[in-house]
PDB file of all heavy atoms in Angstrom:
ATOM      1  N   THR A   1      45.192   8.552   8.350  1.00 96.00           N
ATOM      2  CA  THR A   1      44.812   7.328   7.652  1.00 96.00           C
ATOM      3  C   THR A   1      43.675   6.608   8.375  1.00 96.00           C
ATOM      4  O   THR A   1      42.876   5.915   7.746  1.00 96.00           O
ATOM      5  CB  THR A   1      46.023   6.396   7.513  1.00 96.00           C
ATOM      6  OG1 THR A   1      46.592   6.141   8.811  1.00 96.00           O
ATOM      7  CG2 THR A   1      47.091   7.029   6.627  1.00 96.00           C
ATOM      8  N   PHE A   2      43.590   6.758   9.689  1.00 96.00           N
ATOM      9  CA  PHE A   2      42.484   6.205  10.474  1.00 96.00           C
ATOM     10  C   PHE A   2      41.157   6.761   9.951  1.00 96.00           C
ATOM     11  O   PHE A   2      40.188   6.020   9.743  1.00 96.00           O
ATOM     12  CB  PHE A   2      42.682   6.598  11.944  1.00 96.00           C
ATOM     13  CG  PHE A   2      41.920   5.775  12.941  1.00 96.00           C
ATOM     14  CD1 PHE A   2      42.531   4.732  13.620  1.00 96.00           C
ATOM     15  CD2 PHE A   2      40.596   6.057  13.231  1.00 96.00           C
ATOM     16  CE1 PHE A   2      41.831   3.984  14.568  1.00 96.00           C
ATOM     17  CE2 PHE A   2      39.888   5.328  14.170  1.00 96.00           C
ATOM     18  CZ  PHE A   2      40.510   4.284  14.846  1.00 96.00           C
ATOM     19  N   GLY A   3      41.128   8.064   9.723  1.00 97.00           N
ATOM     20  CA  GLY A   3      39.926   8.690   9.181  1.00 97.00           C
ATOM     21  C   GLY A   3      39.669   8.287   7.743  1.00 97.00           C
ATOM     22  O   GLY A   3      38.515   8.075   7.344  1.00 97.00           O
ATOM     23  N   TYR A   4      40.729   8.182   6.933  1.00 97.00           N
ATOM     24  CA  TYR A   4      40.568   7.777   5.536  1.00 97.00           C
ATOM     25  C   TYR A   4      39.886   6.406   5.434  1.00 97.00           C
ATOM     26  O   TYR A   4      38.969   6.204   4.637  1.00 97.00           O
ATOM     27  CB  TYR A   4      41.924   7.699   4.831  1.00 97.00           C
ATOM     28  CG  TYR A   4      42.635   9.007   4.620  1.00 97.00           C
ATOM     29  CD1 TYR A   4      44.015   9.035   4.409  1.00 97.00           C
ATOM     30  CD2 TYR A   4      41.953  10.217   4.612  1.00 97.00           C
ATOM     31  CE1 TYR A   4      44.696  10.222   4.198  1.00 97.00           C
ATOM     32  CE2 TYR A   4      42.616  11.411   4.399  1.00 97.00           C
ATOM     33  CZ  TYR A   4      43.990  11.409   4.195  1.00 97.00           C
ATOM     34  OH  TYR A   4      44.656  12.601   3.991  1.00 97.00           O
ATOM     35  N   VAL A   5      40.381   5.447   6.233  1.00 98.00           N
ATOM     36  CA  VAL A   5      39.831   4.095   6.173  1.00 98.00           C
ATOM     37  C   VAL A   5      38.368   4.093   6.608  1.00 98.00           C
ATOM     38  O   VAL A   5      37.515   3.460   5.973  1.00 98.00           O
ATOM     39  CB  VAL A   5      40.655   3.131   7.054  1.00 98.00           C
ATOM     40  CG1 VAL A   5      39.983   1.766   7.133  1.00 98.00           C
ATOM     41  CG2 VAL A   5      42.063   2.970   6.507  1.00 98.00           C
ATOM     42  N   SER A   6      38.057   4.816   7.680  1.00 98.00           N
ATOM     43  CA  SER A   6      36.679   4.852   8.179  1.00 98.00           C
ATOM     44  C   SER A   6      35.727   5.396   7.127  1.00 98.00           C
ATOM     45  O   SER A   6      34.640   4.844   6.899  1.00 98.00           O
ATOM     46  CB  SER A   6      36.608   5.708   9.441  1.00 98.00           C
ATOM     47  OG  SER A   6      37.445   5.192  10.457  1.00 98.00           O
ATOM     48  N   ALA A   7      36.105   6.485   6.471  1.00 98.00           N
ATOM     49  CA  ALA A   7      35.245   7.094   5.461  1.00 98.00           C
ATOM     50  C   ALA A   7      35.084   6.192   4.243  1.00 98.00           C
ATOM     51  O   ALA A   7      33.989   6.076   3.676  1.00 98.00           O
ATOM     52  CB  ALA A   7      35.793   8.455   5.050  1.00 98.00           C
ATOM     53  N   SER A   8      36.160   5.555   3.816  1.00 97.00           N
ATOM     54  CA  SER A   8      36.080   4.668   2.645  1.00 97.00           C
ATOM     55  C   SER A   8      35.191   3.468   2.930  1.00 97.00           C
ATOM     56  O   SER A   8      34.377   3.069   2.095  1.00 97.00           O
ATOM     57  CB  SER A   8      37.479   4.206   2.247  1.00 97.00           C
ATOM     58  OG  SER A   8      38.223   5.261   1.690  1.00 97.00           O
ATOM     59  N   LEU A   9      35.340   2.867   4.114  1.00 98.00           N
ATOM     60  CA  LEU A   9      34.475   1.750   4.476  1.00 98.00           C
ATOM     61  C   LEU A   9      33.026   2.205   4.578  1.00 98.00           C
ATOM     62  O   LEU A   9      32.106   1.492   4.156  1.00 98.00           O
ATOM     63  CB  LEU A   9      34.923   1.151   5.808  1.00 98.00           C
ATOM     64  CG  LEU A   9      36.155   0.253   5.777  1.00 98.00           C
ATOM     65  CD1 LEU A   9      36.639  -0.039   7.198  1.00 98.00           C
ATOM     66  CD2 LEU A   9      35.862  -1.055   5.040  1.00 98.00           C
ATOM     67  N   ALA A  10      32.804   3.388   5.138  1.00 97.00           N
ATOM     68  CA  ALA A  10      31.443   3.897   5.294  1.00 97.00           C
ATOM     69  C   ALA A  10      30.794   4.227   3.965  1.00 97.00           C
ATOM     70  O   ALA A  10      29.570   4.178   3.833  1.00 97.00           O
ATOM     71  CB  ALA A  10      31.447   5.142   6.182  1.00 97.00           C
ATOM     72  N   GLY A  11      31.605   4.575   2.971  1.00 96.00           N
ATOM     73  CA  GLY A  11      31.049   4.997   1.684  1.00 96.00           C
ATOM     74  C   GLY A  11      30.514   6.403   1.726  1.00 96.00           C
ATOM     75  O   GLY A  11      29.536   6.718   1.046  1.00 96.00           O
ATOM     76  N   VAL A  12      31.160   7.284   2.509  1.00 96.00           N
ATOM     77  CA  VAL A  12      30.720   8.669   2.605  1.00 96.00           C
ATOM     78  C   VAL A  12      31.879   9.611   2.289  1.00 96.00           C
ATOM     79  O   VAL A  12      33.038   9.268   2.488  1.00 96.00           O
ATOM     80  CB  VAL A  12      30.165   9.008   4.010  1.00 96.00           C
ATOM     81  CG1 VAL A  12      29.006   8.106   4.357  1.00 96.00           C
ATOM     82  CG2 VAL A  12      31.248   8.917   5.071  1.00 96.00           C
ATOM     83  N   ARG A  13      31.536  10.783   1.815  1.00 97.00           N
ATOM     84  CA  ARG A  13      32.519  11.852   1.652  1.00 97.00           C
ATOM     85  C   ARG A  13      32.549  12.636   2.959  1.00 97.00           C
ATOM     86  O   ARG A  13      31.593  13.346   3.273  1.00 97.00           O
ATOM     87  CB  ARG A  13      32.138  12.751   0.481  1.00 97.00           C
ATOM     88  CG  ARG A  13      32.157  12.027  -0.854  1.00 97.00           C
ATOM     89  CD  ARG A  13      31.545  12.872  -1.947  1.00 97.00           C
ATOM     90  NE  ARG A  13      31.527  12.152  -3.225  1.00 97.00           N
ATOM     91  CZ  ARG A  13      30.853  12.548  -4.296  1.00 97.00           C
ATOM     92  NH1 ARG A  13      30.130  13.660  -4.226  1.00 97.00           N
ATOM     93  NH2 ARG A  13      30.893  11.851  -5.416  1.00 97.00           N
ATOM     94  N   PRO A  14      33.606  12.521   3.728  1.00 97.00           N
ATOM     95  CA  PRO A  14      33.601  13.122   5.056  1.00 97.00           C
ATOM     96  C   PRO A  14      33.832  14.619   5.004  1.00 97.00           C
ATOM     97  O   PRO A  14      34.268  15.178   4.000  1.00 97.00           O
ATOM     98  CB  PRO A  14      34.781  12.428   5.744  1.00 97.00           C
ATOM     99  CG  PRO A  14      35.743  12.193   4.605  1.00 97.00           C
ATOM    100  CD  PRO A  14      34.872  11.842   3.413  1.00 97.00           C
ATOM    101  N   THR A  15      33.527  15.275   6.113  1.00 97.00           N
ATOM    102  CA  THR A  15      34.006  16.624   6.343  1.00 97.00           C
ATOM    103  C   THR A  15      35.360  16.479   7.030  1.00 97.00           C
ATOM    104  O   THR A  15      35.490  15.754   8.019  1.00 97.00           O
ATOM    105  CB  THR A  15      33.045  17.418   7.231  1.00 97.00           C
ATOM    106  OG1 THR A  15      31.806  17.565   6.529  1.00 97.00           O
ATOM    107  CG2 THR A  15      33.609  18.787   7.551  1.00 97.00           C
ATOM    108  N   ILE A  16      36.377  17.164   6.510  1.00 97.00           N
ATOM    109  CA  ILE A  16      37.748  16.968   6.974  1.00 97.00           C
ATOM    110  C   ILE A  16      38.209  18.173   7.772  1.00 97.00           C
ATOM    111  O   ILE A  16      38.230  19.302   7.262  1.00 97.00           O
ATOM    112  CB  ILE A  16      38.695  16.726   5.784  1.00 97.00           C
ATOM    113  CG1 ILE A  16      38.233  15.513   4.959  1.00 97.00           C
ATOM    114  CG2 ILE A  16      40.116  16.518   6.271  1.00 97.00           C
ATOM    115  CD1 ILE A  16      39.056  15.281   3.703  1.00 97.00           C
ATOM    116  N   LEU A  17      38.579  17.938   9.041  1.00 97.00           N
ATOM    117  CA  LEU A  17      39.197  18.976   9.857  1.00 97.00           C
ATOM    118  C   LEU A  17      40.602  19.225   9.330  1.00 97.00           C
ATOM    119  O   LEU A  17      41.430  18.308   9.289  1.00 97.00           O
ATOM    120  CB  LEU A  17      39.266  18.536  11.321  1.00 97.00           C
ATOM    121  CG  LEU A  17      37.949  18.483  12.097  1.00 97.00           C
ATOM    122  CD1 LEU A  17      38.136  17.683  13.379  1.00 97.00           C
ATOM    123  CD2 LEU A  17      37.459  19.890  12.409  1.00 97.00           C
ATOM    124  N   LEU A  18      40.892  20.436   8.901  1.00 96.00           N
ATOM    125  CA  LEU A  18      42.192  20.734   8.323  1.00 96.00           C
ATOM    126  C   LEU A  18      43.268  20.762   9.409  1.00 96.00           C
ATOM    127  O   LEU A  18      43.019  21.153  10.549  1.00 96.00           O
ATOM    128  CB  LEU A  18      42.149  22.057   7.567  1.00 96.00           C
ATOM    129  CG  LEU A  18      41.163  22.081   6.394  1.00 96.00           C
ATOM    130  CD1 LEU A  18      41.183  23.431   5.700  1.00 96.00           C
ATOM    131  CD2 LEU A  18      41.468  20.964   5.399  1.00 96.00           C
ATOM    132  N   THR A  19      44.475  20.326   9.034  1.00 95.00           N
ATOM    133  CA  THR A  19      45.581  20.211   9.981  1.00 95.00           C
ATOM    134  C   THR A  19      46.163  21.582  10.295  1.00 95.00           C
ATOM    135  O   THR A  19      46.286  22.449   9.416  1.00 95.00           O
ATOM    136  CB  THR A  19      46.671  19.300   9.395  1.00 95.00           C
ATOM    137  OG1 THR A  19      46.069  18.050   9.029  1.00 95.00           O
ATOM    138  CG2 THR A  19      47.777  19.053  10.402  1.00 95.00           C
ATOM    139  N   ALA A  20      46.534  21.769  11.551  1.00 93.00           N
ATOM    140  CA  ALA A  20      47.099  23.053  12.003  1.00 93.00           C
ATOM    141  C   ALA A  20      48.590  23.099  11.696  1.00 93.00           C
ATOM    142  O   ALA A  20      49.437  23.085  12.608  1.00 93.00           O
ATOM    143  CB  ALA A  20      46.847  23.233  13.498  1.00 93.00           C
ATOM    144  N   PHE A  21      48.925  23.139  10.415  1.00 91.00           N
ATOM    145  CA  PHE A  21      50.336  23.231  10.027  1.00 91.00           C
ATOM    146  C   PHE A  21      50.931  24.505  10.611  1.00 91.00           C
ATOM    147  O   PHE A  21      50.311  25.571  10.587  1.00 91.00           O
ATOM    148  CB  PHE A  21      50.481  23.226   8.507  1.00 91.00           C
ATOM    149  CG  PHE A  21      50.117  21.914   7.861  1.00 91.00           C
ATOM    150  CD1 PHE A  21      48.974  21.789   7.095  1.00 91.00           C
ATOM    151  CD2 PHE A  21      50.921  20.797   8.039  1.00 91.00           C
ATOM    152  CE1 PHE A  21      48.634  20.589   6.501  1.00 91.00           C
ATOM    153  CE2 PHE A  21      50.597  19.584   7.445  1.00 91.00           C
ATOM    154  CZ  PHE A  21      49.460  19.477   6.689  1.00 91.00           C
ATOM    155  N   GLY A  22      52.151  24.383  11.140  1.00 89.00           N
ATOM    156  CA  GLY A  22      52.783  25.532  11.769  1.00 89.00           C
ATOM    157  C   GLY A  22      52.136  25.916  13.080  1.00 89.00           C
ATOM    158  O   GLY A  22      52.350  27.024  13.582  1.00 89.00           O
ATOM    159  N   HIS A  23      51.327  25.001  13.654  1.00 92.00           N
ATOM    160  CA  HIS A  23      50.659  25.221  14.949  1.00 92.00           C
ATOM    161  C   HIS A  23      49.711  26.424  14.904  1.00 92.00           C
ATOM    162  O   HIS A  23      49.524  27.107  15.906  1.00 92.00           O
ATOM    163  CB  HIS A  23      51.692  25.392  16.071  1.00 92.00           C
ATOM    164  CG  HIS A  23      52.727  24.311  16.103  1.00 92.00           C
ATOM    165  ND1 HIS A  23      52.450  23.025  16.539  1.00 92.00           N
ATOM    166  CD2 HIS A  23      54.032  24.306  15.728  1.00 92.00           C
ATOM    167  CE1 HIS A  23      53.545  22.282  16.434  1.00 92.00           C
ATOM    168  NE2 HIS A  23      54.515  23.028  15.944  1.00 92.00           N
ATOM    169  N   LYS A  24      49.120  26.656  13.730  1.00 92.00           N
ATOM    170  CA  LYS A  24      48.160  27.747  13.577  1.00 92.00           C
ATOM    171  C   LYS A  24      46.789  27.164  13.263  1.00 92.00           C
ATOM    172  O   LYS A  24      46.655  26.279  12.414  1.00 92.00           O
ATOM    173  CB  LYS A  24      48.594  28.696  12.453  1.00 92.00           C
ATOM    174  CG  LYS A  24      49.913  29.419  12.735  1.00 92.00           C
ATOM    175  CD  LYS A  24      50.285  30.330  11.567  1.00 92.00           C
ATOM    176  CE  LYS A  24      51.604  31.034  11.829  1.00 92.00           C
ATOM    177  NZ  LYS A  24      52.001  31.919  10.691  1.00 92.00           N
ATOM    178  N   VAL A  25      45.765  27.685  13.936  1.00 92.00           N
ATOM    179  CA  VAL A  25      44.406  27.209  13.687  1.00 92.00           C
ATOM    180  C   VAL A  25      44.043  27.506  12.239  1.00 92.00           C
ATOM    181  O   VAL A  25      44.129  28.657  11.792  1.00 92.00           O
ATOM    182  CB  VAL A  25      43.412  27.893  14.639  1.00 92.00           C
ATOM    183  CG1 VAL A  25      41.988  27.425  14.345  1.00 92.00           C
ATOM    184  CG2 VAL A  25      43.777  27.614  16.088  1.00 92.00           C
ATOM    185  N   PRO A  26      43.651  26.510  11.477  1.00 92.00           N
ATOM    186  CA  PRO A  26      43.380  26.733  10.041  1.00 92.00           C
ATOM    187  C   PRO A  26      42.105  27.537   9.814  1.00 92.00           C
ATOM    188  O   PRO A  26      41.162  27.484  10.597  1.00 92.00           O
ATOM    189  CB  PRO A  26      43.246  25.308   9.492  1.00 92.00           C
ATOM    190  CG  PRO A  26      42.876  24.476  10.664  1.00 92.00           C
ATOM    191  CD  PRO A  26      43.518  25.099  11.855  1.00 92.00           C
ATOM    192  N   ASP A  27      42.115  28.283   8.740  1.00 94.00           N
ATOM    193  CA  ASP A  27      40.958  29.066   8.321  1.00 94.00           C
ATOM    194  C   ASP A  27      40.793  28.871   6.806  1.00 94.00           C
ATOM    195  O   ASP A  27      41.667  29.281   6.041  1.00 94.00           O
ATOM    196  CB  ASP A  27      41.159  30.550   8.653  1.00 94.00           C
ATOM    197  CG  ASP A  27      39.932  31.391   8.300  1.00 94.00           C
ATOM    198  OD1 ASP A  27      38.834  30.790   8.187  1.00 94.00           O
ATOM    199  OD2 ASP A  27      40.086  32.609   8.132  1.00 94.00           O
ATOM    200  N   PRO A  28      39.740  28.210   6.359  1.00 95.00           N
ATOM    201  CA  PRO A  28      38.593  27.712   7.115  1.00 95.00           C
ATOM    202  C   PRO A  28      38.959  26.514   7.999  1.00 95.00           C
ATOM    203  O   PRO A  28      40.004  25.893   7.796  1.00 95.00           O
ATOM    204  CB  PRO A  28      37.611  27.301   6.017  1.00 95.00           C
ATOM    205  CG  PRO A  28      38.493  26.919   4.871  1.00 95.00           C
ATOM    206  CD  PRO A  28      39.641  27.872   4.916  1.00 95.00           C
ATOM    207  N   PRO A  29      38.099  26.173   8.957  1.00 96.00           N
ATOM    208  CA  PRO A  29      38.432  25.084   9.879  1.00 96.00           C
ATOM    209  C   PRO A  29      38.377  23.709   9.238  1.00 96.00           C
ATOM    210  O   PRO A  29      39.018  22.769   9.725  1.00 96.00           O
ATOM    211  CB  PRO A  29      37.373  25.216  10.977  1.00 96.00           C
ATOM    212  CG  PRO A  29      36.207  25.881  10.292  1.00 96.00           C
ATOM    213  CD  PRO A  29      36.818  26.823   9.304  1.00 96.00           C
ATOM    214  N   CYS A  30      37.625  23.570   8.145  1.00 96.00           N
ATOM    215  CA  CYS A  30      37.453  22.247   7.541  1.00 96.00           C
ATOM    216  C   CYS A  30      36.978  22.389   6.109  1.00 96.00           C
ATOM    217  O   CYS A  30      36.618  23.493   5.657  1.00 96.00           O
ATOM    218  CB  CYS A  30      36.443  21.419   8.349  1.00 96.00           C
ATOM    219  SG  CYS A  30      34.798  22.175   8.465  1.00 96.00           S
ATOM    220  N   ARG A  31      36.977  21.268   5.405  1.00 96.00           N
ATOM    221  CA  ARG A  31      36.454  21.222   4.039  1.00 96.00           C
ATOM    222  C   ARG A  31      35.613  19.961   3.879  1.00 96.00           C
ATOM    223  O   ARG A  31      35.965  18.907   4.411  1.00 96.00           O
ATOM    224  CB  ARG A  31      37.593  21.188   3.005  1.00 96.00           C
ATOM    225  CG  ARG A  31      38.377  22.483   2.901  1.00 96.00           C
ATOM    226  CD  ARG A  31      39.262  22.480   1.657  1.00 96.00           C
ATOM    227  NE  ARG A  31      40.074  23.681   1.610  1.00 96.00           N
ATOM    228  CZ  ARG A  31      41.394  23.712   1.631  1.00 96.00           C
ATOM    229  NH1 ARG A  31      42.072  22.579   1.685  1.00 96.00           N
ATOM    230  NH2 ARG A  31      42.053  24.850   1.583  1.00 96.00           N
ATOM    231  N   ARG A  32      34.560  20.083   3.133  1.00 96.00           N
ATOM    232  CA  ARG A  32      33.760  18.914   2.780  1.00 96.00           C
ATOM    233  C   ARG A  32      34.447  18.203   1.615  1.00 96.00           C
ATOM    234  O   ARG A  32      34.692  18.802   0.563  1.00 96.00           O
ATOM    235  CB  ARG A  32      32.347  19.332   2.384  1.00 96.00           C
ATOM    236  CG  ARG A  32      31.423  18.204   2.012  1.00 96.00           C
ATOM    237  CD  ARG A  32      30.870  17.470   3.201  1.00 96.00           C
ATOM    238  NE  ARG A  32      29.954  18.279   3.999  1.00 96.00           N
ATOM    239  CZ  ARG A  32      29.127  17.779   4.911  1.00 96.00           C
ATOM    240  NH1 ARG A  32      29.110  16.481   5.139  1.00 96.00           N
ATOM    241  NH2 ARG A  32      28.341  18.585   5.617  1.00 96.00           N
ATOM    242  N   ALA A  33      34.798  16.940   1.786  1.00 96.00           N
ATOM    243  CA  ALA A  33      35.502  16.201   0.734  1.00 96.00           C
ATOM    244  C   ALA A  33      34.595  16.048  -0.487  1.00 96.00           C
ATOM    245  O   ALA A  33      33.387  15.841  -0.353  1.00 96.00           O
ATOM    246  CB  ALA A  33      35.930  14.837   1.247  1.00 96.00           C
ATOM    247  N   VAL A  34      35.189  16.140  -1.658  1.00 94.00           N
ATOM    248  CA  VAL A  34      34.433  15.919  -2.895  1.00 94.00           C
ATOM    249  C   VAL A  34      34.749  14.552  -3.488  1.00 94.00           C
ATOM    250  O   VAL A  34      34.244  14.192  -4.542  1.00 94.00           O
ATOM    251  CB  VAL A  34      34.719  17.029  -3.929  1.00 94.00           C
ATOM    252  CG1 VAL A  34      34.213  18.366  -3.427  1.00 94.00           C
ATOM    253  CG2 VAL A  34      36.192  17.106  -4.268  1.00 94.00           C
ATOM    254  N   SER A  35      35.588  13.781  -2.802  1.00 94.00           N
ATOM    255  CA  SER A  35      35.871  12.397  -3.173  1.00 94.00           C
ATOM    256  C   SER A  35      36.095  11.612  -1.887  1.00 94.00           C
ATOM    257  O   SER A  35      36.789  12.068  -0.988  1.00 94.00           O
ATOM    258  CB  SER A  35      37.115  12.310  -4.057  1.00 94.00           C
ATOM    259  OG  SER A  35      37.537  10.958  -4.203  1.00 94.00           O
ATOM    260  N   MET A  36      35.480  10.434  -1.785  1.00 95.00           N
ATOM    261  CA  MET A  36      35.643   9.615  -0.581  1.00 95.00           C
ATOM    262  C   MET A  36      36.962   8.849  -0.570  1.00 95.00           C
ATOM    263  O   MET A  36      37.282   8.174   0.407  1.00 95.00           O
ATOM    264  CB  MET A  36      34.487   8.620  -0.458  1.00 95.00           C
ATOM    265  CG  MET A  36      34.546   7.473  -1.455  1.00 95.00           C
ATOM    266  SD  MET A  36      33.254   6.240  -1.177  1.00 95.00           S
ATOM    267  CE  MET A  36      31.812   7.124  -1.721  1.00 95.00           C
ATOM    268  N   GLU A  37      37.745   8.975  -1.618  1.00 97.00           N
ATOM    269  CA  GLU A  37      39.002   8.235  -1.713  1.00 97.00           C
ATOM    270  C   GLU A  37      40.018   8.673  -0.656  1.00 97.00           C
ATOM    271  O   GLU A  37      40.108   9.859  -0.323  1.00 97.00           O
ATOM    272  CB  GLU A  37      39.630   8.458  -3.086  1.00 97.00           C
ATOM    273  CG  GLU A  37      39.222   7.467  -4.134  1.00 97.00           C
ATOM    274  CD  GLU A  37      39.834   6.104  -3.895  1.00 97.00           C
ATOM    275  OE1 GLU A  37      41.029   5.907  -4.176  1.00 97.00           O
ATOM    276  OE2 GLU A  37      39.117   5.219  -3.421  1.00 97.00           O
ATOM    277  N   PRO A  38      40.812   7.730  -0.142  1.00 97.00           N
ATOM    278  CA  PRO A  38      41.950   8.109   0.709  1.00 97.00           C
ATOM    279  C   PRO A  38      42.988   8.876  -0.093  1.00 97.00           C
ATOM    280  O   PRO A  38      43.041   8.791  -1.327  1.00 97.00           O
ATOM    281  CB  PRO A  38      42.513   6.754   1.180  1.00 97.00           C
ATOM    282  CG  PRO A  38      41.430   5.763   0.920  1.00 97.00           C
ATOM    283  CD  PRO A  38      40.668   6.271  -0.258  1.00 97.00           C
ATOM    284  N   CYS A  39      43.818   9.603   0.604  1.00 97.00           N
ATOM    285  CA  CYS A  39      44.877  10.395  -0.029  1.00 97.00           C
ATOM    286  C   CYS A  39      46.196   9.629   0.020  1.00 97.00           C
ATOM    287  O   CYS A  39      46.534   9.032   1.044  1.00 97.00           O
ATOM    288  CB  CYS A  39      45.028  11.728   0.714  1.00 97.00           C
ATOM    289  SG  CYS A  39      46.302  12.825   0.062  1.00 97.00           S
ATOM    290  N   ASN A  40      46.915   9.625  -1.091  1.00 96.00           N
ATOM    291  CA  ASN A  40      48.302   9.166  -1.074  1.00 96.00           C
ATOM    292  C   ASN A  40      49.146  10.345  -0.615  1.00 96.00           C
ATOM    293  O   ASN A  40      49.398  11.271  -1.384  1.00 96.00           O
ATOM    294  CB  ASN A  40      48.741   8.692  -2.458  1.00 96.00           C
ATOM    295  CG  ASN A  40      50.184   8.183  -2.459  1.00 96.00           C
ATOM    296  OD1 ASN A  40      50.847   8.140  -1.419  1.00 96.00           O
ATOM    297  ND2 ASN A  40      50.674   7.786  -3.620  1.00 96.00           N
ATOM    298  N   LEU A  41      49.550  10.323   0.643  1.00 94.00           N
ATOM    299  CA  LEU A  41      50.214  11.475   1.253  1.00 94.00           C
ATOM    300  C   LEU A  41      51.622  11.702   0.721  1.00 94.00           C
ATOM    301  O   LEU A  41      52.162  12.798   0.820  1.00 94.00           O
ATOM    302  CB  LEU A  41      50.250  11.298   2.776  1.00 94.00           C
ATOM    303  CG  LEU A  41      48.875  11.282   3.456  1.00 94.00           C
ATOM    304  CD1 LEU A  41      49.000  10.853   4.906  1.00 94.00           C
ATOM    305  CD2 LEU A  41      48.205  12.643   3.349  1.00 94.00           C
TER     306      LEU A  41
END
């Protein structure tokens, strides 16, 4: 949520580092957001 707020205030679509669910390095490592909106988790 720290990142969500920063991007929304900035008015940019951030590049998002994907979370290592299951303690595994994600592949791909990140995604370019197509919406600057925060996520309702």
Side-chain angles (χ1 to χ4, degrees):
T1 55
F2 199 98
Y4 292 159
V5 173
S6 300
S8 289
L9 283 169
V12 302
R13 296 170 182 168
T15 296
I16 303 175
L17 289 165
L18 299 180
T19 306
F21 292 110
H23 309 287
K24 296 179 181 179
V25 178
D27 183 21
C30 59
R31 290 193 184 118
R32 181 78 68 165
V34 295
S35 169
M36 73 175 72
E37 270 288 283
C39 180
N40 181 2
L41 296 170

